Amino acid sequence: PALVKRTQKSADVASQEYSMQAIPNNPAPLVSIVMPAFNAARFLEEAVSSVVAQDLEDWELIVVDDGSTDDTRKIIAGLMKGDPRIKYQHQEKRGVSRARNVGIAIAQGEFISFLDADDTLPPNSLSARLEALCTDSSLTLVHSIVDIIDESGNNLGLKLGSESDISFDDAWRNPAHLNTVTGKSE
């Protein structure tokens, strides 16, 4: 599967040793944001800055470097110095789905969210999603609309996603972008 459940990790993901250390005296974050990155040096600072700028501050950002050959590692190392909530994990090139699964396996948060390394979050994105999840206990996942932008950050006037509730049966028509999905970690 593209994403595995945290409680049903594949044997090779579960047995892999991770280099990230827990922050001493810091309880688990409310939300873990998993960011796969491959040769994303050009976009990383803006993507990470959009997480740092969230009105919700109780998060961890797990950047899973999928075998980048650019300055991805160097840029994340610099960003980590300024914010201990930013974590880094390197893996050999195995693809975006594997990178997301590694991030899920590492995640400590009560909720998990996703963000690609070349995308950004609006300032209240995490708090709005968590408010929806916490207000309605019947929800397992929430999603929102994505504004499509070009490489320079210009809004192209295109949107992706659905403004209505979606079910598993709707998945075939791709009604929600993965970067807008937030759910309970269990």
Side-chain angles (χ1 to χ4, degrees), residues 13-168:
V13 171
S15 66
Q16 183 175 350
E17 291 187 29
Y18 299 105
S19 61
M20 297 188 319
Q21 300 296 318
I23 301 168
N25 303 318
N26 191 24
L30 183 60
V31 62
S32 297
I33 304 146
V34 176
M35 179 184 286
F38 174 71
N39 288 344
R42 177 175 168 201
F43 304 105
L44 269 173
E45 287 189 49
E46 185 175 5
V48 172
S49 292
S50 77
V51 174
V52 172
Q54 291 298 298
D55 59 342
L56 176 82
E57 296 180 357
D58 191 6
W59 52 261
E60 69 176 345
L61 173 63
I62 303 166
V63 180
V64 182
D65 182 351
D66 188 34
S68 294
T69 56
D70 65 359
D71 286 337
T72 292
R73 180 185 296 238
K74 180 180 174 183
I75 290 168
I76 290 300
L79 294 169
M80 287 172 61
K81 289 178 185 174
D83 195 326
R85 299 173 296 177
I86 303 169
K87 316 249 173 37
Y88 175 86
Q89 175 64 44
H90 180 268
Q91 70 175 19
E92 296 303 316
K93 181 80 175 116
R94 293 190 178 159
V96 68
S97 293
R98 172 67 179 208
R100 285 190 184 108
N101 284 328
V102 167
I104 290 169
I106 295 169
Q108 298 295 308
E110 183 179 342
F111 299 93
I112 295 180
S113 192
F114 301 96
L115 180 65
D116 289 346
D118 62 347
D119 292 332
T120 59
L121 292 175
N124 67 345
S125 182
L126 289 177
S127 62
R129 293 183 213 176
L130 291 177
E131 180 179 342
L133 280 167
C134 293
T135 301
D136 184 346
S137 62
S138 71
L139 298 177
T140 303
L141 300 170
V142 296
H143 67 95
S144 61
I145 303 294
V146 173
D147 289 317
I148 307 296
I149 61 173
D150 66 15
E151 290 183 3
S152 300
N154 300 311
N155 191 322
L156 299 177
L158 303 171
K159 296 188 181 290
L160 176 65
S162 171
E163 292 185 12
S164 63
D165 291 350
I166 58 173
S167 71
F168 187 77

